[in-house]
Amino acid sequence: MVAVASVVVAVGAATGMMSALADGRGAEAAKPGVSPAPRLERSAVAPTAVKSASPTPSSPRTVVPSPTRTEKKRETTTAPAGGLYRFPGSQVLDWVHAHPGDPRTSLIESRIADEPAAVWFSDPTTATIASQVRAVTSPAAAQGRVPVLVAYAIPGRDCGGASQGGAPDLAAYDGWIDAFTAGLGSGEVVVILEPDSIALSDCLSDAQRAARFAALARAGRVLKSADPKARVYYDAGHSGWHPAGEQAALLKQAGAASADSSDGIFSNVSNFQTTSDETAYDRAVLTDLGGPPGLGAVIDTSRNGNGAPADGQWCDPAGRGIGRTPTLGTGEARIDAYLWVKLPGESDGCKGAAGTFSPSYAYDLASS
Protein backbone atom coordinates (compact mmCIF):
# COMPACT_ATOMS: atom_id res chain seq x y z
CA MET A 1 0.00 0.00 0.00
CA VAL A 2 1.49 3.33 -0.97
CA ALA A 3 2.19 5.78 1.81
CA VAL A 4 -0.09 8.54 0.55
CA ALA A 5 -3.14 6.31 0.72
CA SER A 6 -3.28 5.42 4.39
CA VAL A 7 -5.46 2.41 4.89
CA VAL A 8 -7.27 0.24 7.35
CA VAL A 9 -5.10 -2.67 8.43
CA ALA A 10 -5.77 -5.63 10.62
CA VAL A 11 -3.15 -6.11 13.30
CA GLY A 12 -2.53 -8.13 16.38
CA ALA A 13 -2.60 -11.68 17.52
CA ALA A 14 -4.36 -13.19 14.54
CA THR A 15 -3.62 -16.70 15.67
CA GLY A 16 -5.47 -17.95 18.70
CA MET A 17 -8.59 -15.81 18.23
CA MET A 18 -10.61 -18.98 18.01
CA SER A 19 -9.29 -22.21 19.48
CA ALA A 20 -10.61 -25.68 20.07
CA LEU A 21 -10.28 -26.41 23.76
CA ALA A 22 -9.63 -30.06 24.40
CA ASP A 23 -11.46 -31.26 27.49
CA GLY A 24 -11.84 -34.92 26.75
CA ARG A 25 -15.24 -34.65 25.09
CA GLY A 26 -13.99 -34.68 21.51
CA ALA A 27 -14.42 -32.31 18.62
CA GLU A 28 -18.03 -31.50 19.42
CA ALA A 29 -16.87 -29.94 22.68
CA ALA A 30 -14.46 -27.63 20.92
CA LYS A 31 -15.36 -24.07 21.70
CA PRO A 32 -14.06 -20.65 20.89
CA GLY A 33 -11.53 -19.13 23.21
CA VAL A 34 -11.06 -15.39 23.42
CA SER A 35 -12.11 -13.70 20.23
CA PRO A 36 -10.30 -10.40 19.82
CA ALA A 37 -10.88 -8.37 16.71
CA PRO A 38 -7.25 -7.38 16.23
CA ARG A 39 -7.56 -4.56 13.80
CA LEU A 40 -5.92 -1.19 13.59
CA GLU A 41 -7.34 1.60 11.56
CA ARG A 42 -5.21 4.03 9.71
CA SER A 43 -6.83 7.13 8.40
CA ALA A 44 -8.05 7.47 4.91
CA VAL A 45 -7.17 8.54 1.45
CA ALA A 46 -6.98 12.27 0.84
CA PRO A 47 -10.32 13.95 1.54
CA THR A 48 -10.60 15.16 -2.04
CA ALA A 49 -10.71 11.59 -3.29
CA VAL A 50 -13.62 10.83 -1.02
CA LYS A 51 -15.44 14.03 -1.93
CA SER A 52 -15.21 13.29 -5.61
CA ALA A 53 -16.86 9.90 -5.19
CA SER A 54 -19.26 10.37 -2.32
CA PRO A 55 -22.66 12.06 -2.53
CA THR A 56 -21.92 13.79 0.77
CA PRO A 57 -19.49 16.68 1.23
CA SER A 58 -17.96 15.12 4.31
CA SER A 59 -14.22 14.73 4.72
CA PRO A 60 -12.54 12.01 6.77
CA ARG A 61 -10.22 14.61 8.24
CA THR A 62 -12.92 17.08 9.24
CA VAL A 63 -13.07 17.80 12.96
CA VAL A 64 -16.10 16.04 14.41
CA PRO A 65 -17.55 17.87 17.43
CA SER A 66 -18.01 15.76 20.52
CA PRO A 67 -21.71 15.11 21.09
CA THR A 68 -23.45 16.28 24.20
CA ARG A 69 -24.56 13.81 26.83
CA THR A 70 -28.06 13.90 25.33
CA GLU A 71 -26.67 13.18 21.87
CA LYS A 72 -24.60 10.30 23.20
CA LYS A 73 -27.63 8.71 24.79
CA ARG A 74 -29.49 8.90 21.50
CA GLU A 75 -26.47 7.48 19.65
CA THR A 76 -26.24 4.40 21.83
CA THR A 77 -29.79 3.61 22.88
CA THR A 78 -32.01 4.23 19.86
CA ALA A 79 -32.67 0.56 19.20
CA PRO A 80 -32.68 -2.74 21.12
CA ALA A 81 -30.30 -5.58 20.35
CA GLY A 82 -32.66 -6.71 17.59
CA GLY A 83 -32.27 -10.45 18.14
CA LEU A 84 -28.47 -10.52 17.93
CA TYR A 85 -26.62 -13.19 19.88
CA ARG A 86 -24.24 -12.25 22.67
CA PHE A 87 -21.45 -14.83 22.78
CA PRO A 88 -20.55 -15.47 26.45
CA GLY A 89 -16.85 -16.13 25.85
CA SER A 90 -15.62 -12.62 25.06
CA GLN A 91 -12.62 -11.04 26.72
CA VAL A 92 -14.69 -8.20 28.13
CA LEU A 93 -17.08 -10.61 29.84
CA ASP A 94 -14.15 -12.60 31.20
CA TRP A 95 -12.70 -9.39 32.64
CA VAL A 96 -16.01 -8.28 34.14
CA HIS A 97 -16.51 -11.63 35.84
CA ALA A 98 -12.97 -11.60 37.20
CA HIS A 99 -13.13 -8.03 38.55
CA PRO A 100 -16.46 -7.53 40.35
CA GLY A 101 -14.93 -5.01 42.74
CA ASP A 102 -13.20 -2.81 40.20
CA PRO A 103 -14.79 0.67 40.14
CA ARG A 104 -14.86 0.53 36.33
CA THR A 105 -16.69 -2.77 36.12
CA SER A 106 -20.28 -1.55 36.35
CA LEU A 107 -19.93 0.92 33.48
CA ILE A 108 -17.95 -1.47 31.26
CA GLU A 109 -20.49 -4.22 31.91
CA SER A 110 -23.58 -2.12 31.21
CA ARG A 111 -22.31 -0.26 28.16
CA ILE A 112 -20.04 -2.87 26.51
CA ALA A 113 -20.19 -6.38 27.95
CA ASP A 114 -23.97 -6.58 27.88
CA GLU A 115 -24.10 -5.88 24.15
CA PRO A 116 -23.83 -8.53 21.40
CA ALA A 117 -20.63 -8.44 19.35
CA ALA A 118 -19.05 -10.41 16.54
CA VAL A 119 -16.93 -13.51 17.00
CA TRP A 120 -13.77 -13.71 14.89
CA PHE A 121 -12.43 -16.92 13.32
CA SER A 122 -8.84 -16.55 12.16
CA ASP A 123 -7.25 -19.95 12.75
CA PRO A 124 -6.82 -21.46 9.26
CA THR A 125 -6.84 -25.04 10.60
CA THR A 126 -9.49 -26.81 8.56
CA ALA A 127 -9.90 -29.74 10.93
CA THR A 128 -11.24 -27.64 13.82
CA ILE A 129 -13.10 -24.74 12.24
CA ALA A 130 -16.49 -26.48 11.89
CA SER A 131 -16.66 -27.30 15.60
CA GLN A 132 -15.55 -23.77 16.50
CA VAL A 133 -18.28 -22.22 14.37
CA ARG A 134 -20.85 -24.68 15.68
CA ALA A 135 -19.94 -23.70 19.25
CA VAL A 136 -21.32 -20.25 18.43
CA THR A 137 -24.17 -21.01 16.06
CA SER A 138 -25.75 -23.85 18.04
CA PRO A 139 -26.38 -21.94 21.28
CA ALA A 140 -27.45 -18.91 19.26
CA ALA A 141 -30.06 -21.01 17.44
CA ALA A 142 -31.24 -22.48 20.73
CA GLN A 143 -31.89 -18.94 21.98
CA GLY A 144 -33.53 -17.87 18.73
CA ARG A 145 -30.84 -15.24 18.20
CA VAL A 146 -28.59 -14.27 15.30
CA PRO A 147 -24.82 -14.64 15.71
CA VAL A 148 -22.31 -12.47 13.84
CA LEU A 149 -19.30 -14.40 12.57
CA VAL A 150 -16.16 -12.91 11.06
CA ALA A 151 -14.38 -15.21 8.59
CA TYR A 152 -10.76 -14.05 8.61
CA ALA A 153 -8.39 -16.55 6.99
CA ILE A 154 -7.79 -15.33 3.43
CA PRO A 155 -4.23 -16.01 2.20
CA GLY A 156 -2.03 -12.93 2.23
CA ARG A 157 -4.14 -11.40 4.97
CA ASP A 158 -3.19 -7.80 5.86
CA CYS A 159 -0.76 -7.56 2.93
CA GLY A 160 2.06 -8.87 5.12
CA GLY A 161 1.34 -6.45 7.98
CA ALA A 162 1.03 -7.20 11.66
CA SER A 163 -1.97 -9.51 11.12
CA GLN A 164 -0.39 -11.35 8.25
CA GLY A 165 -1.32 -14.98 7.95
CA GLY A 166 -4.36 -16.90 6.88
CA ALA A 167 -4.56 -20.10 4.88
CA PRO A 168 -1.38 -21.13 3.05
CA ASP A 169 -3.00 -20.81 -0.39
CA LEU A 170 -6.37 -20.38 -2.03
CA ALA A 171 -6.96 -24.11 -2.43
CA ALA A 172 -6.55 -24.49 1.32
CA TYR A 173 -8.81 -21.48 1.84
CA ASP A 174 -11.54 -23.11 -0.24
CA GLY A 175 -11.31 -26.13 2.04
CA TRP A 176 -11.43 -23.91 5.12
CA ILE A 177 -14.57 -22.20 3.87
CA ASP A 178 -16.17 -25.57 3.14
CA ALA A 179 -15.43 -26.65 6.72
CA PHE A 180 -16.60 -23.29 8.08
CA THR A 181 -19.99 -23.76 6.43
CA ALA A 182 -20.36 -27.17 8.07
CA GLY A 183 -20.72 -25.38 11.40
CA LEU A 184 -23.36 -22.88 10.31
CA GLY A 185 -26.41 -25.03 10.87
CA SER A 186 -29.69 -23.91 9.31
CA GLY A 187 -30.54 -20.81 11.32
CA GLU A 188 -30.06 -17.13 10.72
CA VAL A 189 -26.45 -15.97 10.85
CA VAL A 190 -24.54 -12.90 9.68
CA VAL A 191 -21.13 -13.55 8.10
CA ILE A 192 -18.64 -10.69 7.78
CA LEU A 193 -16.52 -12.11 5.00
CA GLU A 194 -12.82 -11.26 5.27
CA PRO A 195 -12.28 -7.70 6.50
CA ASP A 196 -9.75 -5.81 4.33
CA SER A 197 -9.72 -8.55 1.69
CA ILE A 198 -11.03 -6.19 -0.99
CA ALA A 199 -10.24 -2.68 0.18
CA LEU A 200 -6.71 -3.73 1.13
CA SER A 201 -5.65 -5.71 -1.93
CA ASP A 202 -3.19 -3.26 -3.47
CA CYS A 203 -0.27 -5.49 -2.52
CA LEU A 204 -1.47 -8.19 -4.93
CA SER A 205 -0.67 -8.48 -8.60
CA ASP A 206 -3.58 -8.32 -11.03
CA ALA A 207 -3.57 -12.11 -11.32
CA GLN A 208 -3.38 -12.60 -7.56
CA ARG A 209 -6.17 -10.14 -6.98
CA ALA A 210 -8.38 -11.85 -9.56
CA ALA A 211 -7.73 -15.21 -7.91
CA ARG A 212 -8.54 -13.82 -4.46
CA PHE A 213 -11.75 -12.23 -5.70
CA ALA A 214 -12.78 -15.50 -7.36
CA ALA A 215 -12.20 -17.29 -4.03
CA LEU A 216 -14.32 -14.71 -2.21
CA ALA A 217 -17.13 -15.09 -4.75
CA ARG A 218 -16.98 -18.85 -4.28
CA ALA A 219 -16.97 -18.44 -0.48
CA GLY A 220 -20.17 -16.44 -0.60
CA ARG A 221 -21.87 -19.00 -2.83
CA VAL A 222 -20.82 -21.87 -0.58
CA LEU A 223 -21.93 -20.11 2.59
CA LYS A 224 -25.35 -19.20 1.23
CA SER A 225 -25.86 -22.59 -0.36
CA ALA A 226 -25.05 -24.37 2.91
CA ASP A 227 -27.40 -22.16 4.92
CA PRO A 228 -30.02 -20.23 2.91
CA LYS A 229 -30.69 -18.10 6.00
CA ALA A 230 -27.07 -16.93 6.16
CA ARG A 231 -26.47 -13.28 5.30
CA VAL A 232 -23.05 -12.72 3.74
CA TYR A 233 -21.49 -9.27 3.52
CA TYR A 234 -18.40 -8.15 1.59
CA ASP A 235 -15.63 -5.69 2.45
CA ALA A 236 -16.35 -2.07 1.47
CA GLY A 237 -13.62 -0.45 3.56
CA HIS A 238 -15.00 2.79 4.97
CA SER A 239 -16.05 6.28 3.94
CA GLY A 240 -12.58 7.74 4.45
CA TRP A 241 -10.76 5.26 2.26
CA HIS A 242 -11.52 4.47 -1.39
CA PRO A 243 -14.03 6.46 -3.47
CA ALA A 244 -17.40 4.72 -3.65
CA GLY A 245 -17.22 3.97 -7.37
CA GLU A 246 -13.75 2.51 -7.11
CA GLN A 247 -14.72 0.30 -4.19
CA ALA A 248 -17.89 -0.84 -5.96
CA ALA A 249 -15.87 -1.93 -9.00
CA LEU A 250 -13.67 -4.08 -6.79
CA LEU A 251 -16.66 -5.52 -4.94
CA LYS A 252 -18.32 -6.48 -8.22
CA GLN A 253 -15.25 -8.48 -9.22
CA ALA A 254 -15.48 -10.34 -5.90
CA GLY A 255 -19.09 -11.42 -6.40
CA ALA A 256 -20.71 -8.89 -4.10
CA ALA A 257 -23.32 -7.93 -6.71
CA SER A 258 -24.65 -11.47 -7.06
CA ALA A 259 -27.59 -12.67 -4.99
CA ASP A 260 -26.11 -16.18 -5.14
CA SER A 261 -23.12 -15.10 -3.06
CA SER A 262 -23.94 -11.81 -1.36
CA ASP A 263 -26.40 -9.92 0.77
CA GLY A 264 -24.42 -6.71 0.42
CA ILE A 265 -21.47 -4.96 2.01
CA PHE A 266 -19.95 -4.07 5.37
CA SER A 267 -18.03 -0.95 6.27
CA ASN A 268 -16.16 0.83 9.07
CA VAL A 269 -14.88 -2.36 10.67
CA SER A 270 -12.74 -1.20 13.61
CA ASN A 271 -12.79 2.35 12.28
CA PHE A 272 -14.30 5.54 13.68
CA GLN A 273 -16.19 7.15 10.79
CA THR A 274 -19.58 8.52 11.80
CA THR A 275 -22.70 6.49 11.14
CA SER A 276 -24.11 9.26 8.94
CA ASP A 277 -20.97 9.31 6.78
CA GLU A 278 -21.00 5.53 6.50
CA THR A 279 -24.69 5.48 5.62
CA ALA A 280 -24.17 7.91 2.74
CA TYR A 281 -21.03 6.11 1.59
CA ASP A 282 -22.58 2.64 1.72
CA ARG A 283 -25.61 3.76 -0.26
CA ALA A 284 -23.31 5.27 -2.87
CA VAL A 285 -21.31 2.02 -3.08
CA LEU A 286 -24.49 -0.04 -3.39
CA THR A 287 -25.79 2.23 -6.15
CA ASP A 288 -22.55 1.87 -8.11
CA LEU A 289 -22.40 -1.85 -7.37
CA GLY A 290 -25.76 -2.59 -8.93
CA GLY A 291 -27.11 -6.08 -8.42
CA PRO A 292 -30.49 -6.98 -6.95
CA PRO A 293 -32.32 -4.22 -5.07
CA GLY A 294 -32.29 -6.28 -1.87
CA LEU A 295 -28.56 -5.83 -1.33
CA GLY A 296 -27.87 -3.84 1.83
CA ALA A 297 -25.07 -2.75 4.13
CA VAL A 298 -23.99 -3.28 7.71
CA ILE A 299 -21.96 -0.69 9.60
CA ASP A 300 -19.55 -1.28 12.46
CA THR A 301 -20.66 1.24 15.08
CA SER A 302 -18.58 -0.10 17.94
CA ARG A 303 -16.30 2.92 18.35
CA ASN A 304 -17.68 5.70 16.16
CA GLY A 305 -19.77 7.61 18.70
CA ASN A 306 -17.51 10.66 18.50
CA GLY A 307 -16.40 10.20 14.92
CA ALA A 308 -12.87 9.82 13.58
CA PRO A 309 -9.96 11.78 15.08
CA ALA A 310 -9.18 14.93 13.13
CA ASP A 311 -5.45 14.11 13.17
CA GLY A 312 -5.92 10.69 11.55
CA GLN A 313 -4.76 8.76 14.63
CA TRP A 314 -5.78 5.12 14.28
CA CYS A 315 -4.18 3.31 17.22
CA ASP A 316 -6.50 3.44 20.24
CA PRO A 317 -7.07 7.17 19.74
CA ALA A 318 -8.20 9.21 22.72
CA GLY A 319 -11.60 10.82 22.86
CA ARG A 320 -13.47 8.14 20.95
CA GLY A 321 -16.73 6.68 22.21
CA ILE A 322 -18.94 3.70 21.62
CA GLY A 323 -21.54 4.17 18.90
CA ARG A 324 -25.02 2.97 18.17
CA THR A 325 -26.30 -0.12 19.91
CA PRO A 326 -26.02 -3.28 17.77
CA THR A 327 -29.30 -4.00 16.03
CA LEU A 328 -30.80 -5.66 12.99
CA GLY A 329 -33.46 -2.97 12.76
CA THR A 330 -31.91 0.36 11.79
CA GLY A 331 -34.94 2.04 10.23
CA GLU A 332 -32.63 3.27 7.46
CA ALA A 333 -33.11 2.33 3.82
CA ARG A 334 -30.49 -0.17 2.61
CA ILE A 335 -28.76 -0.27 6.01
CA ASP A 336 -29.44 -3.76 7.31
CA ALA A 337 -27.70 -3.56 10.67
CA TYR A 338 -25.47 -1.68 13.04
CA LEU A 339 -23.00 -4.19 14.43
CA TRP A 340 -20.12 -4.25 16.87
CA VAL A 341 -17.59 -6.12 14.77
CA LYS A 342 -14.63 -4.77 16.70
CA LEU A 343 -15.43 -5.19 20.39
CA PRO A 344 -14.85 -1.91 22.26
CA GLY A 345 -11.94 -2.21 24.64
CA GLU A 346 -9.92 -4.64 22.54
CA SER A 347 -6.75 -2.73 21.83
CA ASP A 348 -5.36 -1.71 18.46
CA GLY A 349 -1.87 -2.15 19.92
CA CYS A 350 -1.23 1.04 21.88
CA LYS A 351 -3.27 0.53 25.05
CA GLY A 352 -2.04 -3.05 25.20
CA ALA A 353 -1.03 -5.89 22.93
CA ALA A 354 -3.09 -5.75 19.76
CA GLY A 355 -6.31 -7.69 20.08
CA THR A 356 -6.19 -7.95 23.86
CA PHE A 357 -8.68 -6.38 26.21
CA SER A 358 -7.71 -3.12 27.86
CA PRO A 359 -10.02 -2.16 30.74
CA SER A 360 -8.69 1.40 30.76
CA TYR A 361 -9.47 1.80 27.06
CA ALA A 362 -12.87 0.19 27.48
CA TYR A 363 -13.66 2.54 30.35
CA ASP A 364 -12.59 5.57 28.32
CA LEU A 365 -14.81 4.50 25.41
CA ALA A 366 -17.77 3.83 27.68
CA SER A 367 -17.31 7.16 29.45
CA SER A 368 -16.80 9.41 26.42
Side-chain angles (χ1 to χ4, degrees):
M1 197 66 195
V2 293
V4 294
S6 303
V7 298
V8 185
V9 293
V11 302
T15 58
M17 276 191 244
M18 302 296 299
S19 59
L21 305 182
D23 62 357
R25 291 178 290 163
E28 286 299 318
K31 61 181 181 180
V34 296
S35 54
R39 304 170 41 72
L40 293 185
E41 304 299 328
R42 291 183 197 164
S43 204
V45 293
T48 52
V50 176
K51 286 181 181 178
S52 66
S54 172
T56 66
S58 59
S59 164
R61 297 187 185 277
T62 300
V63 176
V64 180
S66 296
T68 64
R69 283 287 170 187
T70 301
E71 290 170 333
K72 286 174 191 168
K73 184 176 182 181
R74 185 179 66 247
E75 178 77 355
T76 58
T77 62
T78 51
L84 290 165
Y85 174 62
R86 188 189 68 161
F87 176 59
S90 68
Q91 292 186 90
V92 61
L93 278 169
D94 290 345
W95 185 87
V96 164
H97 294 155
H99 298 84
D102 192 294
R104 300 168 295 184
T105 296
S106 177
L107 185 63
I108 291 173
E109 181 176 22
S110 64
R111 301 209 69 196
I112 297 176
D114 284 348
E115 299 295 343
V119 183
W120 290 62
F121 298 83
S122 68
D123 183 351
T125 305
T126 300
T128 55
I129 189 62
S131 59
Q132 292 172 5
V133 172
R134 192 176 298 115
V136 177
T137 57
S138 291
Q143 294 181 22
R145 301 225 165 227
V146 181
V148 179
L149 315 178
V150 182
Y152 192 55
I154 196 76
R157 187 176 62 202
D158 195 29
C159 279
S163 277
Q164 62 184 290
D169 52 46
L170 288 174
Y173 180 71
D174 288 348
W176 187 84
I177 285 291
D178 291 345
F180 187 102
T181 63
L184 291 179
S186 58
E188 290 187 75
V189 58
V190 172
V191 179
I192 304 299
L193 184 61
E194 301 295 342
D196 286 348
S197 60
I198 298 173
L200 183 58
S201 59
D202 303 55
C203 60
L204 304 177
S205 68
D206 290 345
Q208 290 170 331
R209 183 184 296 185
R212 171 183 283 191
F213 289 175
L216 289 171
R218 176 193 181 275
R221 291 194 301 271
V222 170
L223 289 162
K224 291 185 67 62
S225 176
D227 179 4
K229 293 184 179 179
R231 308 183 206 178
V232 180
Y233 294 91
Y234 282 72
D235 170 37
H238 61 75
S239 61
W241 196 348
H242 298 304
E246 177 182 315
Q247 188 64 31
L250 297 174
L251 282 158
K252 189 173 294 187
Q253 294 174 50
S258 169
D260 292 335
S261 56
S262 170
D263 290 271
I265 60 176
F266 64 82
S267 72
N268 209 40
V269 168
S270 299
N271 212 288
F272 308 93
Q273 311 298 322
T274 64
T275 301
S276 59
D277 283 352
E278 290 305 291
T279 297
Y281 170 74
D282 288 347
R283 286 172 177 162
V285 172
L286 288 168
T287 296
D288 289 337
L289 180 62
L295 295 183
V298 298
I299 300 171
D300 186 350
T301 59
S302 61
R303 303 188 300 178
N304 73 344
N306 291 344
D311 62 1
Q313 175 59 252
W314 48 263
C315 187
D316 301 330
R320 301 313 94 205
I322 55 177
R324 292 182 186 267
T325 302
T327 180
L328 295 173
T330 70
E332 293 283 347
R334 305 208 79 176
I335 307 300
D336 293 348
Y338 302 135
L339 302 177
W340 285 9
V341 182
K342 167 82 171 187
L343 188 61
E346 289 182 356
S347 176
D348 294 326
C350 293
K351 298 287 187 181
T356 60
F357 181 72
S358 166
S360 62
Y361 187 36
Y363 186 78
D364 288 347
L365 289 167
S367 302
S368 297

